[in-house]
Amino acid sequence: METRGGRLALVRGGPAQEFTVTLRNGNSADYRHLLVALQMEILVGEPGDEPGSGPGFLLERFDRASGTWRPAELRVANDARPLSLFTGGGPLARGAVRIERYRLRATAGGPTGSSPVVVSFIDTDADREAAAHVLLGHSTG
């Protein structure tokens, strides 16, 4: 993963920050459906912070085919979703590399605090993680 400064530092109602996720298939087999899934825990603000209202965050993924940003799912929860509930994902041939671009924005009424964004790589055909998840540091002020 790559982002400016190595972490996301968002401001409520401020601009989105971009980051990239690079997938490298060093395995001996092709993936038919490899999904990048993003999740963070519910933010708990500092004493005196105002509670958030509304969705809190807007995640988008860049669609190369159309040249536009499209909404993407960012799960905000304190538990893990069972792998069997994930669907979709794109192909990644043996030895191939795929770079996905994302941007994340904190909405004006969202919460403040910090929690890393957990980036998981899921083989949705096999209902298993294809690689260990990675953490991207994040704070919203």
Side-chain angles (χ1 to χ4, degrees):
M1 262 184 328
E2 190 174 312
T3 187
R4 184 181 309 158
R7 61 179 286 109
L8 299 171
L10 303 176
V11 175
R12 288 194 298 180
Q17 287 191 318
E18 287 190 39
F19 61 98
T20 59
V21 176
T22 302
L23 296 93
R24 289 182 174 82
N25 185 355
N27 292 333
S28 60
D30 297 340
Y31 288 107
R32 291 182 327 125
H33 298 101
L34 186 61
L35 177 72
V36 175
L38 294 101
Q39 176 175 326
M40 76 165 78
E41 291 190 352
I42 297 169
L43 295 183
V44 178
E46 298 294 321
D49 283 351
E50 293 182 30
S53 63
F57 298 96
L58 178 64
L59 178 70
E60 296 175 300
R61 181 178 177 272
F62 187 74
D63 178 10
R64 279 188 212 175
S66 67
T68 61
W69 291 97
R70 300 204 185 263
E73 182 182 4
L74 171 67
R75 185 167 190 263
V76 179
N78 291 352
D79 63 350
R81 177 184 287 174
L83 296 176
S84 61
L85 296 180
F86 288 93
T87 60
L92 189 64
R94 181 175 32 138
V97 176
R98 183 172 81 216
I99 298 173
E100 296 189 5
R101 288 176 55 198
Y102 293 90
R103 66 183 182 188
L104 183 63
R105 183 173 71 82
T107 62
T112 60
S114 64
S115 176
V117 176
V118 179
V119 182
S120 300
F121 310 96
I122 302 168
D123 177 356
T124 60
D125 291 329
D127 296 337
R128 66 175 180 85
E129 285 192 89
H133 63 262
V134 187
L135 301 179
L136 175 59
H138 153 259
S139 63
T140 297

